[in-house]
Structure formats: structure tokens, C-alpha cells
Amino acid sequence: MRRLEAYIRNIPDFPEPGIQFKDITPLVKEPAMLRLAVNQLVYPFLGTNITAVAGMEARGFIFGSLAAWELGVGFVPLRKPGKLPYDVQSLSYDLEYGSASLEIHNDALHEGDRVLLIDDLIATGGTAAASCALVEKLGAEVAACAFVVELDFLKGRDKLEKYNIHS
Ligand code: AMP
């Protein structure tokens, strides 16, 4: 973990004052660290019958696609409004200030799917909770949620009590 942490850059006051942004670009640029991070993300789920990985725009696409590759399953993008071209399900959720929405293609997942949800980071857990709800809207099961970084002082896990969380 300490090896990975050394490749996560802390940017103070980005994108707004008081937020310390965890920049994962130095980590994903370094081949050995990228491999280590993806291996650490997926190892608990090898052989657990995951049928799909879903990842949140945009940094969830980086780790989610690689995790899907490692698990030998497909990747489903969860996107910001207006980006997905086909019929979608949408869900709005509250942020610390204001609100946001995520969308998923209607036919991306089905009943019987066991989904591993992946993002780079969990902060308050709002994004992940909305993503879980979208997956369930399509009749699929959230097998677990996995993150490279967890800001544990924000207690995002409390919003995801009924799910299996790995970070
Ligand atoms: P939350 O919904 O509060 O758990 O926020 C999680 C989402 O916002 C993830 O998609 C993260 O990429 C992004 N995010 C929130 N806080 C940070 C932070 N301090 N550094 C980097 N990304 C963040």
C-alpha cells in the first residue's frame, strides 16, 4: 500500500479551496504501479463469478477496464448525463454542494449479472451509492465495490452498508 501511496500526488485546493485532490496520474503512468494497483483491486474477486465490471466516468474507466480484463469479463460505463447514445436509466444524487447524475445504457446489465463496481476513489460515497442503485435498477446484483483510494475520514462506507466494499 505504501508503494502505491508514493505514486498518488496530493494537490491542495483543487478543484476548489479546502479539497485535497488525490491525483492518480503518476500511478497509472508507471507500469509496475498500474499493475500492482489493478492486481490489488481484483484479487478478492478472482473465482467469485463476477459477470461484469461497471466503472464511473472518468477515472473509473481506467481501473475498471483493466479490472474487467483481469477478471475476463466485459466493462460497462456509467456516464455523466447526455454522453451515452442509446436508451438510458438515469439517477440523480446529492453532492456536498448541489447534485449530479449518472446514466447507464438500459441493456448494459440484466438479472443474473453479478457486478463489480470500480472507481478510483471513494469520498462521501454518494457516487458509489448512486452507481449501485443504477446497477440494481437494471435487475443486476452488486457483488462488491472496489476503489484504489478510500478517504476513510469521510465515512463513505456508511452510505454503502449493505454492500461488500474493498479498497
Ligand atoms: P464521492 O461521491 O463523494 O464518494 O466522490 C467520489 C467521486 O469524486 C469519485 O469519482 C472521485 O474520483 C471524485 N473525488 C472526490 N473527492 C476526490 C478527491 N479528494 N480527489 C480525487 N477525486 C475525488
Side-chain angles (χ1 to χ4, degrees):
M1 213 171 99
R2 246 179 278 122
R3 280 178 71 203
L4 289 173
E5 208 171 347
Y7 285 83
I8 296 170
R9 182 161 53 194
N10 291 312
I11 312 282
D13 300 318
F14 183 88
E16 52 189 81
I19 304 288
Q20 187 183 63
F21 193 85
K22 300 287 180 185
D23 176 16
I24 50 89
T25 63
L27 186 156
V28 299
K29 192 177 73 172
E30 191 62 37
M33 293 302 126
L34 181 58
R35 175 155 290 280
L36 180 60
V38 173
N39 285 344
Q40 290 297 309
L41 264 184
V42 303
Y43 79 83
F45 309 109
L46 296 168
T48 64
N49 299 319
I50 299 292
T51 64
V53 170
M56 293 85 123
E57 183 170 359
R59 292 179 296 276
F61 291 0
I62 300 171
F63 295 106
S65 299
L66 291 167
W69 177 266
E70 282 298 314
L71 292 171
V73 300
F75 176 77
V76 172
L78 297 166
R79 298 212 63 182
K80 290 167 187 163
K83 299 283 189 185
L84 289 171
Y86 184 62
D87 296 339
V88 295
Q89 292 283 341
S90 306
L91 207 129
S92 295
Y93 58 100
D94 291 331
L95 296 174
E96 232 172 319
Y97 300 99
S99 69
S101 300
L102 278 176
E103 294 184 346
I104 190 169
H105 271 151
N106 264 338
D107 61 351
L109 297 166
H110 302 95
E111 204 177 322
D113 274 320
R114 282 176 41 81
V115 180
L116 175 62
L117 205 84
I118 292 201
D119 203 355
D120 67 326
L121 180 145
I122 178 169
T124 66
T127 307
S131 302
C132 290
L134 267 181
V135 165
E136 290 171 342
K137 251 186 162 180
L138 297 184
E141 176 196 347
V142 178
C145 305
F147 308 92
V148 180
V149 182
E150 177 174 3
L151 301 182
D152 52 6
F153 62 94
L154 291 174
K155 305 203 183 309
R157 276 178 193 247
D158 293 356
K159 279 207 186 80
L160 300 163
E161 258 175 348
K162 61 175 177 163
Y163 302 106
N164 173 19
I165 307 298
H166 169 61
S167 74

